[in-house]
């Protein structure tokens, strides 16, 4: 007899904006790890009562006590995955294993990047041989310049339908999250998902209670 209202959002920043603006419509929200830290800092999450979370010990140890929320004081891990890219093997005609693929001139107009500056900078930094979480001003400037140079090659920046756009054939290479891309690859054997040799983001989405 409970009517559930279920909303989705295309970026963590959208969630932050909703909660910061005073939205009171949600009993549970699902932010990614880095956003949990920001929401805690801004006082937008309610501390959890661990006495009521009797199954918390069933969660794999490496996903408990995360750096973004020590002791899981405000969050419980829900889903985890990776951010890589998928490509159309029939269209590309070669094996891709590096982030360098999304910067190659030959794929101009056939590349999709996430509409997520954090993930895009992570890709650019890795290609340049820098840590994905670099705070070095020189390294960040170089990553920015590479992304600006890449822009004419990119057909679209999209975080909500990257798998669907790849399947449609509008792009041949799509930067995206493993869940949707794994499903697309399962349904279309011409597609392959890649964790590039330079490494990739491992993300965790979490269940939280807004304040």
């Amino acid at each position: 007899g409970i009517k559930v209202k279920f909303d989705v959002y295309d970026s963590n920043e959208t969630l932050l904006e909703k909660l910061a603006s005073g939205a009171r419509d949600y009993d549970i929200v699902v932010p990614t790890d880095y956003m949990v830290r920001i929401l805690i800092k801004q006082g937008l999450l309610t501390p959890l009562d661990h006495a009521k979370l009797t199954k918390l010990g069933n969660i794999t140890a490496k996903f408990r006590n995360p750096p973004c929320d020590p002791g899981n004081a405000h969050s419980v891990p829900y889903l985890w995955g990776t951010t890589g890219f998928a490509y159309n093997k029939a269209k590309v005609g070669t094996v891709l294993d590096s982030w360098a693929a999304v910067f190659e001139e030959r794929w101009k107009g056939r590349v999709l990047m996430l509409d997520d500056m954090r993930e895009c900078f992570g890709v650019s930094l890795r290609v340049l041989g820098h840590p994905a979480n670099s705070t070095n001003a020189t390294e960040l400037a170089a990553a920015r310049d590479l992304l600006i140079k890449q822009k004419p090659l990119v057909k679209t920046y999209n975080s909500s339908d990257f798998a669907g756009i790849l399947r449609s054939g509008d792009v041949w290479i799509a930067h995206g999250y493993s869940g949707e891309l794994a499903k697309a690859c399962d349904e279309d054997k011409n597609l392959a998902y890649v964790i590039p040799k330079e490494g990739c983001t491992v993300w965790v989405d979490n269940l939280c209670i807004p304040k």
Side-chain angles (χ1 to χ4, degrees):
I2 298 172
K3 184 178 180 180
V4 177
K5 178 182 178 182
F6 180 82
D7 283 347
V8 296
Y9 55 91
D10 60 2
S11 75
N12 280 281
E13 287 68 30
T14 301
L15 173 62
L16 172 61
E17 185 179 355
K18 277 195 171 188
L19 294 184
S21 69
R24 298 286 184 270
D25 299 336
Y26 305 103
D27 298 306
I28 292 177
V29 293
V30 190
T32 307
D33 40 33
Y34 78 94
M35 185 53 66
V36 171
R37 185 195 305 270
I38 295 170
L39 293 172
I40 293 171
K41 188 175 180 179
Q42 295 198 13
L44 295 171
L45 297 181
T46 297
L48 301 178
D49 182 356
H50 280 218
K52 297 178 179 177
L53 300 176
T54 59
K55 306 298 183 183
L56 195 59
N58 292 341
I59 295 170
T60 303
K62 68 178 179 179
F63 294 117
R64 300 200 303 266
N65 193 34
C68 66
D69 182 25
N72 293 102
H74 298 81
S75 66
V76 174
Y78 168 55
L79 294 172
W80 76 274
T82 57
T83 308
F85 68 83
Y87 68 99
N88 188 312
K89 294 180 287 185
K91 297 288 188 181
V92 168
T94 187
V95 175
L96 301 180
D97 65 355
S98 168
W99 283 121
V102 300
F103 298 95
E104 291 187 29
E105 183 72 27
R106 59 177 167 163
W107 310 128
K108 184 176 182 178
R110 297 297 185 179
V111 175
L112 178 152
M113 296 293 289
L114 288 171
D115 186 13
D116 184 320
M117 63 181 174
R118 182 173 176 268
E119 291 286 7
C120 289
F121 262 85
V123 171
S124 186
L125 285 162
R126 286 186 175 93
V127 164
L128 294 170
H130 304 312
N133 292 314
S134 174
T135 57
N136 179 286
T138 301
E139 293 173 358
L140 290 171
R144 175 203 62 205
D145 292 346
L146 181 58
L147 290 170
I148 291 171
K149 184 179 178 182
Q150 179 208 30
K151 189 174 181 181
L153 309 181
V154 178
K155 184 176 183 70
T156 183
Y157 296 87
N158 188 298
S159 295
S160 58
D161 191 32
F162 49 87
I165 295 171
L166 177 66
R167 291 196 64 187
S168 74
D170 282 353
V171 299
W172 298 350
I173 305 171
H175 178 211
Y177 309 118
S178 57
E180 291 96 326
L181 290 178
K183 185 173 185 290
C185 292
D186 187 55
E187 295 171 350
D188 184 342
K189 299 308 178 185
N190 279 322
L191 305 180
Y193 179 68
V194 179
I195 293 177
K197 61 187 179 183
E198 297 89 354
C200 71
T201 304
V202 175
W203 48 262
V204 181
D205 288 343
N206 303 269
L207 300 171
C208 301
I209 299 173
K211 183 164 284 188

